[in-house]
Structure formats: structure tokens, C-alpha cells
Amino acid sequence: MRIAMIGTGYVGLVSGACFADFGHQVCSVDKDTAKIDGLNAGVMPIWEPGLEALVKSNAERNRLTFTTDLAAGVADAEAVFIAVGTPTRRGDGHADLTFVFEAVRELARVIKPGTVVVTKSTVPVGTGDKIEAILKEEGVTGVSVASNPEFLREGAAIADFKHPDRIVVGAEDGHAEHVLKEIYRPLFLNRAPILIVGRRTAELTKYAANAFLAVKISFINEIANLCEALDADVQDVARGIGLDNRIGSKFLHAGPGYGGSCFPKDTLALLKTADDAGVEQRIVRTTVEVNDDRKAQMVERVVRVLGGSVSGKRIGVLGLAFKPNTDDMREAPSIPLVHGLIERGAAVCAFDPVARHQAEQILSGVEFAGDAYAAAKDADALVIVTEWDEFRALDLDRIAGSLRGKVLIDLRNVYDRSEAEAAGLIYYGIGRGRLVVPLI
Ligand code: NAD
């Protein structure tokens, strides 16, 4: 199939490269000239495991090309995927569809009858209808509009795209359904379930999926609070409930609250959609509140552990990206934590294996270290914020030797108290027994 992919961000670039790897002919279009120049020179705009090799091998076979020229990119495409950003609209929390509609208006000038326009961006219910209306307004006929939400996770994006739990296609006509089935045929042959549903249903499915995962995270975070009050261990509770197939073990890791480019904005957008429809969504609304509070509480946790004040103290921070294996800093829990500590007078020295460049543009007043041990050097406490693999096997004796205050605050429960204590550290996890905070 001949495919055009509009947007070469985390989703567009991965999807385009994977489609090319399936054997399709893909042209990736982005209006960001620097990104396209970089991609044409083999430089990836994002950090995602395996992406560079996948892009390069398909570009070398001429199955994957990059351009800023939308007209050339979509000229003979059978399907045009829209994978541009849909951030939170400033001021009201709705999904901002400016980029989507801009792309559609540009498309309208060049698209040919028979093409299927597919939203891969996460878009509110009814966006497909609006795209249809814009195309009609621009005098375009004979074009199908479909929805194909993407469920990949940053950090495991290629594996997720190639081995999805399911593919959701929202199609309103047989042609769109046929084209999308052809595109996904390599996965279909691997028995990945493909759900053909109405377009509005597909749009809502994506929001419902993200909202549900956000609920799971906030749920276990509240249970962690209870564990700290009642002297129970949230890791064991999570395992005890997660082994129940009806619940499932994923997304039951207590931590500093969810961040990233999707959950915060998609939960807000779902609430706005529900408000517009006059239907209350109390569970999701509470989840958003719980998570906002959670992120803010992490600063207080560090302050309490350090005896009520961090003024004049030095704090090492491990991990800045919103999760491991990505350089994405959008809505990362590290941001309110680091800023909160600095506002309270602490000096922060942080290390992240790949997100330093992105972090430097967001975090001000932070010193960046070259590795975990340098971040710990002479610090009063070391805080693990993102559970990168390399933080799972630290030499704790060396960490203890580098630290001045010997305090390890493990917001991801990477370590066991016993091993940290054996190295001479004072250990604070999340939800792991009564939170006893001695004065230091
Ligand atoms: P991103 O910000 O990383 O990338 C968007 C890209 O679109 C940018 O490179 C931008 O330059 C380009 N763009 C914007 N307008 C354009 C136009 N008119 N023509 C050409 N290019 C244009 O965004 P992302 O993280 O890849 O997310 C894209 C969509 O996918 C969002 O709706 C998001 O919610 C959804 N999504 C993201 C993830 C994820 O893990 N990041 C997962 C599933 C779904």
C-alpha cells in the first residue's frame, strides 16, 4: 500500500517506520524542516529504542521517505494518516485540534478521490465528522474519513506497534475498512485482533483506554498511602490483586503520579467531552485530582524526610523523563518535584540517561550530573524519580559513600529496604510499611 504519514513525532515516526517495515511504501511529512532535514541525514528527532535502525534500514530500501512537501507526500497515497499533536488547549482543557484541522485543510488542496484519511492522533469524539465537514467545505468529494487510534507506549513503541494487543479501526464505509485491513494485514496474519467499529466509537475507545489506565495508577497510589498508615506493603498488595486475571498486574505500580504526553491531556479532554455531552464522569474527574495532588505531594515527602526543610540542602535526583526509555519530558513528575525543591531553597543535581537535553529546556536552576554517582555526590538525599534500568543495579555501597546524608528516597520502589539498609542507607520507598520519618 502507498501511505502518507503527516507528523513525524513519537507516533508518526514510529508508525511510518513500522508500516514501511511491513512492506508498504511510506512517505512521512512534517512541517518542521529541521526534523525532516535531520531524518534525511539519518538523525532521529526523538530517543526511542530500536528506532534509528528501523528508520535507516527502511529508508535505505526507499520504502520510507521524508519531506516537508505535503502535496508531494500525499500525491499517490491510498491512505493518509494524521499523526500530529493534539495537546491540551490553553485555558480550558479541551484537546487542541488546531494542528489536525490545519493538516486537513492542507490535504484538501491535494487529495484525490478514493483516498482514505485516517486520524491516528488521539482526537475527541466527533473529530472525524468535523474533518468530513471541512473536506466538503473545501470541495473535496469521494474521500473516506476513518479513525485508527494508536495505543503504543513510548519506550516500547516499536514492539507495541508490531505486536499490538488489538487494532481499533473506526470506519463508516466499506472502502475505508478494506484499505485499513490491507494496511494491517501483516499483523492480522499474526492474529492481532482487529476491531472494526463505528468512527465515534473508535475515537472514544482511545480516551476510555487511557482514562482507565490512569484510574489504575491513581488507585494503587491511594492504596500506597493506606499502606503507609497501616504498615502494609503496596508491592505485595499489588501482586496479590494483580494476579487476579480480572484485575491484571499492569499499571499497578505505586509511584509519584502519572505524567507523559497522553494520560494528563487525555483524561482532561475526556472530561471536557463529557461536560459538553452533559454526562458526569466522576471516576475520571477524581483520578485527575488524585494525580495532581500526588505529584505535588512528592516535594512534601522529600521535605518531611529531611526534617521539615530542604533549604540549603543538596538533593540528587535520578531520572527526569516521564518514564524510562524515552527522552519525553512532557508532564513528567520530575518537573514539579525539582521546581518545588528549588523553590524551597534546595540545590538539585540531576542525572537522566537520555533526557538531559529536553530537561535543560524545561528545568531551570538545576545542575546536571554525568552519572548517578555524580548526582549523589555530597547530597543530603538521593531521590529516584524515573526507574531507568541502570538505576536498578546501582552499587549502593558506592552511593552511600558518595552521599552526605545517606538518605535514599525511592519513588519507584526499585530497591528493597533490606538491601539499602545493608549498604548503610536510610531508605524510604512508596507504600512499603509505616512511613516513619525520623528527624535527620
Ligand atoms: P509530537 O508532538 O511528538 O509530534 C507531532 C508532529 O506533528 C510534530 O513533529 C509536528 O511538527 C508535526 N505537525 C504538526 N502539524 C503538522 C502539519 N500541519 N503538517 C505536518 N506535520 C505537522 O506528537 P506525538 O507524541 O507523536 O503525538 C501525536 C498524536 O498521537 C497525539 O494526538 C497523541 O495524543 C497521540 N498518541 C501519542 C502517543 C505517545 O506515546 N506519544 C501514544 C498514542 C497516541
Side-chain angles (χ1 to χ4, degrees):
M1 303 289 287
R2 293 181 306 279
I3 296 171
M5 183 67 64
I6 304 184
T8 58
Y10 288 86
V11 164
L13 186 54
V14 170
S15 307
C18 288
F19 280 148
D21 212 46
F22 293 169
H24 301 309
Q25 186 63 44
V26 179
C27 184
S28 283
V29 183
D30 205 293
K31 62 179 183 181
D32 184 333
T33 314
K35 264 189 195 177
I36 294 298
D37 287 349
L39 282 163
N40 278 323
V43 180
M44 298 303 110
I46 54 167
W47 196 89
E48 178 66 40
L51 185 62
E52 186 169 339
L54 190 74
V55 167
K56 284 185 173 167
S57 74
N58 284 285
E60 274 161 18
R61 289 182 194 137
N62 280 326
R63 288 203 300 240
L64 180 61
T65 56
F66 298 100
T67 182
T68 53
D69 181 352
L70 188 123
V74 305
D76 61 354
E78 291 155 281
V80 179
F81 284 82
I82 299 176
V84 301
T86 50
T88 299
R89 192 161 73 191
R90 254 172 221 275
D92 67 6
H94 273 286
D96 185 345
L97 296 176
T98 311
F99 297 125
V100 173
F101 294 149
E102 248 175 43
V104 172
R105 287 195 191 277
E106 285 172 56
L107 263 181
R109 293 200 285 271
V110 291
I111 202 163
K112 296 195 179 77
T115 314
V116 182
V117 175
V118 191
T119 48
K120 199 162 242 328
S121 298
T122 302
V123 292
V125 177
T127 303
D129 305 347
K130 287 187 186 147
I131 291 175
E132 250 175 20
I134 293 173
L135 291 173
K136 198 170 162 199
E137 208 179 285
E138 302 282 338
V140 176
T141 52
V143 165
S144 305
V145 178
S147 161
N148 171 221
E150 183 50 55
F151 298 96
L152 63 76
R153 294 163 301 166
E154 285 173 25
I158 294 169
D160 282 354
F161 196 91
K162 290 190 168 180
H163 306 281
D165 290 334
R166 80 304 205 184
I167 299 150
V168 174
V169 167
E172 296 295 318
D173 61 81
H175 176 62
E177 180 179 333
H178 170 73
V179 167
L180 278 154
K181 275 186 171 165
E182 277 303 302
I183 288 171
Y184 280 107
R185 202 211 293 240
L187 296 183
F188 200 36
L189 295 175
N190 287 342
R191 299 187 184 278
I194 181 159
L195 274 69
I196 310 290
V197 298
R199 196 170 57 205
R200 296 170 78 89
T201 303
E203 290 168 341
L204 184 54
T205 303
K206 173 65 189 175
Y207 284 99
N210 274 358
F212 190 78
L213 294 173
V215 168
K216 272 187 105 172
I217 295 171
S218 284
F219 173 81
I220 202 67
N221 282 338
E222 287 209 310
I223 294 292
N225 288 345
L226 202 51
C227 287
E228 286 169 0
L230 301 180
D231 200 13
D233 188 321
V234 75
Q235 300 277 95
D236 293 337
V237 174
R239 191 166 151 74
I241 62 174
L243 285 169
D244 183 331
N245 284 334
R246 293 169 301 177
I247 297 173
S249 59
K250 306 272 174 67
F251 285 77
L252 284 182
H253 301 287
Y258 60 76
S261 66
C262 293
F263 290 180
K265 85 170 170 64
D266 293 346
T267 44
L268 280 185
L270 179 64
L271 291 177
K272 288 294 164 187
T273 300
D275 286 349
D276 290 351
V279 177
E280 186 49 86
Q281 295 288 301
R282 278 183 292 168
I283 294 174
V284 178
R285 195 172 302 283
T286 305
T287 295
V288 170
E289 284 167 17
V290 168
N291 195 61
D292 287 347
D293 290 350
R294 182 87 187 162
K295 281 166 135 178
Q297 283 157 7
M298 292 304 111
V299 183
E300 298 315 322
R301 181 176 283 258
V302 176
V303 171
R304 273 176 65 202
V305 166
L306 289 178
S309 168
V310 290
S311 182
K313 302 226 160 99
R314 183 174 174 83
I315 296 166
V317 167
L318 296 187
L320 296 168
F322 88 92
K323 66 170 174 178
N325 292 324
T326 182
D327 60 352
D328 199 341
M329 284 291 297
R330 289 179 280 188
E331 304 285 333
S334 65
I335 300 170
L337 176 71
V338 166
H339 282 156
L341 291 172
I342 291 172
E343 273 162 27
R344 285 165 181 74
V348 173
C349 181
F351 169 67
D352 188 284
V354 304
R356 176 174 177 163
H357 177 67
Q358 307 278 2
E360 276 172 342
Q361 320 190 8
I362 296 169
L363 301 173
S364 48
V366 179
E367 191 185 317
F368 289 93
D371 65 26
Y373 303 99
K377 183 133 183 44
D378 296 331
D380 294 280
L382 185 66
V383 188
I384 300 178
V385 185
T386 312
E387 67 281 32
W388 282 90
D389 271 349
E390 68 177 78
F391 301 153
R392 291 182 184 278
L394 292 172
D395 177 344
L396 292 184
D397 290 323
R398 201 175 148 199
I399 289 286
S402 301
L403 281 169
R404 186 168 57 198
K406 311 292 178 218
V407 173
L408 179 61
I409 304 173
D410 180 1
L411 301 183
R412 298 291 184 172
N413 287 340
V414 168
Y415 289 99
D416 277 329
R417 177 187 304 279
S418 54
E419 58 181 328
E421 287 179 350
L425 292 163
I426 307 166
Y427 179 82
Y428 298 90
I430 294 274
R432 312 200 72 181
R434 201 180 298 284
L435 188 65
V436 186
V437 180
L439 282 179
I440 288 167

